[in-house]
Amino acid sequence: MAANKLKISPPLLNSACPWATTLEDIKALYDSPYTGAVTIRTSLLEGFTHDDSIHQYIFFTPGKTIAGDAPKGEASKPSSSNSSSEPVSTLNTLGYSPLTLSEYLGIINEIVGQRHLGTDTPTKKPFILSVTGTPDEIAMAYALVANAAEMDEDLRLAMEVNLSCPNIASAPPPAYDKKQLDEYLEAISDSKSTYRGRMATPESVPKVGVKLPPYTYTGQFEMAVGSLREAKSSEPGEGSVIDFITCTNTLGNSLLLNSSFDPVLSNESGTGLGGLAGAALHPLALGNVATFRKLLDRDPVTRGIMIIGVGGVEDKDGAERMRKVGADAVACASALGRYGVGVFERITKGA
């Protein structure tokens, strides 16, 4: 089972985020010698209607007053001259990518096609396609990913099911509810079983993970691990149908007020509540990784599940902390937005 894990070497990558949206974003991440995989921004089968007036983000320093006219989006990024100042966090009210899953598969084919021509990075890094939707839509998404992997044996594709975005007013994170989580895991199990017999080797069957929200008390962790344990593969000698978990996503219901005590960001509901990420989330993210690793290791069904640790990592020490508490690989988002793709060299070398 361990030999059939998702291979991420070096064990460093980005998590699904705004800075992994375009062809240029994804190619830069793929070309970096310091990333072992590339995660694509969360997509839907039919795309997402992005609206700058309600889907926003801001970089901020915790505990500091935010000016009433503080810039949002890329304009909120600290200047390079302040790059060594105290850590920066982010708050976002973003939804998903405006690009569809099919469009992302086309982008991946274009990038890998350049490699075939010998004009680009000659490596075979995994692409992790982050997706969301209903359980039925997730099954269809897996079919698209598996078909793409079947058509080109050089593609290393995996799928991450995002069950944790806190910013969709009509769809709270399914991973907080056992019934919903089980429905998604059943859809994943059925999809993997369908394609297992068609793929050339067990290793070529696209791996599947789930992106989880921050959990804050014991019952939530036990619920999630119980569902992962119950979603056991029907294949002899295998454990859970889930190959990896990504934890943790942003912490929802977070609010920033400006100097006039008005919400800094807009959102769908008009409250300005969004998802907290970056340095402010790091202790909670470490706790989630540590707790999941301990609980997953208690049962042979879940012991082989990898953890991609994410939340507030922006330097070598942060990555080492994540690895120390049980992450098999470490991802970052806010730091990617702050420093660009060069952040992975910074993390690797401790610069």
Side-chain angles (χ1 to χ4, degrees):
M1 184 164 54
N4 198 22
K5 284 187 175 182
L6 179 64
K7 296 178 177 62
I8 301 175
S9 180
L12 190 60
L13 68 160
N14 66 295
S15 60
C17 64
W19 305 285
T21 299
T22 66
L23 167 63
E24 291 73 22
D25 294 336
I26 297 164
K27 188 176 184 303
L29 289 163
Y30 184 80
D31 286 346
S32 170
Y34 302 100
T35 61
V38 177
T39 305
I40 311 299
R41 185 177 179 183
T42 302
S43 64
L44 296 158
L45 290 176
E46 301 298 329
F48 180 82
T49 304
H50 177 86
D51 182 344
D52 285 335
S53 68
I54 57 174
H55 300 123
Q56 304 175 342
Y57 65 89
I58 188 170
F59 287 82
F60 72 99
T61 301
K64 301 295 184 182
T65 299
I66 299 171
D69 59 350
K72 304 177 182 68
E74 287 295 289
S76 71
K77 237 181 355 183
S79 66
S80 58
S81 61
N82 295 327
S83 62
S84 60
S85 64
E86 56 190 297
V88 170
S89 300
T90 57
L91 188 77
N92 83 82
T93 56
L94 296 168
Y96 306 118
S97 176
L99 277 66
T100 67
L101 174 59
S102 293
E103 287 176 303
Y104 278 128
L105 288 169
I107 285 173
I108 290 170
N109 274 314
E110 182 172 344
I111 292 171
V112 174
Q114 292 176 346
R115 180 183 55 75
H116 287 328
L117 296 174
T119 59
D120 223 323
T121 311
T123 187
K124 294 183 184 179
K125 290 183 185 178
F127 289 96
I128 302 174
L129 290 132
S130 185
V131 300
T132 196
T134 66
D136 285 345
E137 288 169 339
I138 294 304
M140 288 187 278
Y142 187 82
L144 286 173
V145 173
N147 283 333
E150 188 177 22
M151 290 174 63
D152 186 347
E153 62 182 17
D154 282 334
L155 284 182
R156 295 184 59 197
L157 303 180
M159 188 174 84
E160 173 192 88
V161 184
N162 187 344
L163 302 180
S164 51
C165 179
N167 295 332
I168 310 300
S170 60
Y176 282 126
D177 180 86
K178 178 170 172 55
K179 183 175 183 295
Q180 291 187 70
L181 179 57
D182 288 344
E183 289 174 355
Y184 279 94
L185 295 179
E186 182 179 359
I188 292 167
S189 178
D190 291 345
S191 297
K192 288 185 77 175
S193 296
T194 297
Y195 280 86
R196 184 178 297 275
R198 291 178 46 174
M199 308 302 283
T201 64
E203 291 76 17
S204 61
V205 178
K207 306 291 186 291
V208 182
V210 289
K211 189 171 190 179
L212 299 175
Y215 294 129
T216 58
Y217 62 90
T218 301
Q220 291 177 315
F221 292 100
E222 292 177 340
M223 176 276 293
V225 173
S227 290
L228 294 171
R229 183 175 59 249
E230 292 161 11
K232 189 177 185 305
S233 173
S234 59
E235 291 297 308
E238 292 198 7
S240 174
V241 298
I242 295 301
D243 301 288
F244 65 94
I245 61 173
T246 303
C247 65
T248 175
N249 204 341
T250 58
L251 179 63
N253 218 50
S254 299
L255 180 64
L256 286 177
L257 300 179
N258 61 27
S259 54
S260 301
F261 301 105
D262 295 318
V264 172
L265 300 181
S266 300
N267 69 350
E268 286 186 4
S269 64
T271 61
L273 294 168
L276 177 69
L281 188 67
H282 189 58
L284 182 58
L286 282 175
N288 271 247
V289 172
T291 302
F292 270 117
R293 188 71 273 160
K294 180 180 178 181
L295 293 177
L296 292 171
D297 285 347
R298 287 180 177 176
D299 193 290
V301 174
T302 54
R303 193 172 296 147
I305 294 176
M306 292 175 56
I307 298 179
I308 297 176
V310 55
V313 173
E314 63 175 42
D315 55 24
K316 186 175 183 179
D317 285 350
E320 289 180 350
R321 286 191 292 270
M322 276 289 184
R323 296 298 301 274
K324 180 68 175 180
V325 299
D328 297 272
V330 179
C332 62
S334 294
L336 171 61
R338 180 185 180 189
Y339 298 110
V341 175
V343 72
F344 299 107
E345 180 177 8
R346 166 193 172 99
I347 292 172
T348 301
K349 296 183 176 180

